[in-house]
């Protein structure tokens, strides 16, 4: 059944920019439209029509800004991509559905690069919320462009101002705070993934903390959205590469 669901989703994904002929997909699968829709709802947890609507509405945050005349930053932060699959533990298959974060970059960056980044996604109060938190302070604004935004039910809301980060480098497990005029967040870590590499001219130090967010963010229309309970990460990274 999972293989059939995957084939159906692949067929739907290939037709998102055009009219999706459900009856035709059912005929190609050797079943009726009624049974195809029932199978999809049972396995995916939502009607096929709702899946198509959400996928067509899903937006991502894209940033393009120059570091200099030669160096450029192009990044897409797609923070609430629906995911599905199977995890096998001790020979037992577990079907999973949820949301993932895609960080897509095609950049030619500076030799020395420092950043803060955070992201989380999930459902709060029946709404799908994904947050992307860009670097703190003046360094978080690249030629006046912010890397901070969030999605609500697939629609992007851009935060144009610099995000202030407050955390303790001597104790990474203490709560972090991120704020600006439309962002009021607290992040409580439960795990710190530390990585350090030092090859003299190539060096990298990363503290990527995973934990839970609480607080709220404000949409373009002025509505405050709670994010209490969203799990994600916040990181502090310093690279020479």
């Amino acid at each position: 059944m999972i293989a059939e669901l995957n084939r159906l989703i692949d067929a739907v994904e290939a037709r998102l920019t055009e009219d999706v002929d459900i009856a035709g997909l059912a005929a190609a699968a050797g079943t009726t439209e009624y049974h195809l829709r029932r199978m999809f709802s049972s396995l995916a947890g939502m009607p096929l029509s709702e899946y198509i609507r959400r996928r067509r509405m899903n937006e991502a945050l894209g940033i393009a800004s120059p570091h200099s005349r030669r160096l450029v930053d192009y990044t897409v932060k797609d923070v609430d991509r629906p995911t599905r699959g199977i995890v096998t533990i001790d020979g037992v298959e577990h079907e999973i559905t949820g949301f993932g974060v895609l960080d897509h970059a095609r950049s030619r960056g500076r030799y020395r690069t420092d950043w803060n980044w955070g992201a989380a996604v999930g459902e709060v109060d029946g709404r799908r919320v994904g947050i992307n938190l860009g670097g703190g302070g003046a360094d978080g604004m690249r030629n006046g462009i912010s890397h901070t935004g969030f999605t609500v039910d697939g629609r992007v809301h851009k935060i144009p101002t610099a995000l202030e980060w407050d955390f303790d480098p001597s104790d990474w497990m203490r709560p972090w705070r991120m704020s600006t005029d439309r962002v009021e967040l607290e992040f409580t870590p439960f795990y710190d993934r530390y990585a350090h590499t030092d090859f003299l001219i190539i060096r990298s130090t990363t503290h990527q903390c995973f934990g839970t967010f609480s607080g709220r963010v404000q949409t373009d229309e002025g509505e405050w959205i709670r994010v209490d309970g969203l799990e994600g990460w916040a990181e502090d990274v310093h690279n020479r590469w």
Side-chain angles (χ1 to χ4, degrees), residues 35-111:
H35 285 95
L36 187 77
R37 290 182 181 275
R38 283 197 61 184
M39 180 271 291
F40 187 93
S41 295
S42 175
L43 295 177
M46 71 178 71
L48 179 55
S49 58
E50 175 65 10
Y51 176 84
I52 294 172
R53 184 188 73 83
R54 290 190 182 187
R55 288 297 295 121
R56 284 175 169 166
M57 292 180 62
N58 195 64
E59 299 178 347
L61 176 67
I63 306 102
S65 61
H67 294 301
S68 67
R69 292 178 61 89
R70 296 189 309 108
L71 305 179
V72 64
D73 173 34
Y74 169 74
T75 307
V76 173
K77 306 289 189 180
D78 194 351
V79 293
D80 68 344
R81 294 181 65 87
T83 59
R84 68 191 190 281
I86 298 175
V87 174
T88 302
I89 302 175
D90 296 331
V92 179
E93 291 187 348
H94 303 268
E95 298 176 12
I96 59 171
T97 59
F99 304 99
V101 175
L102 174 64
D103 179 20
H104 174 79
R106 288 292 182 271
S107 302
R108 185 175 180 184
R110 295 169 293 185
Y111 165 64

Side-chain angles (χ1 to χ4, degrees), residues 132-149:
N132 186 80
L133 306 172
D139 290 339
M141 301 288 286
R142 298 180 183 174
N143 293 280
I145 299 176
S146 164
H147 284 225
T148 300

Side-chain angles (χ1 to χ4, degrees), residues 166-177 186-189 209:
D166 181 15
F167 56 90
D168 185 355
S170 67
D171 185 357
W172 297 100
M173 300 303 289
R174 291 186 62 185
W176 302 36
R177 291 175 177 82
E186 182 172 280
F187 172 72
T188 303
C209 293

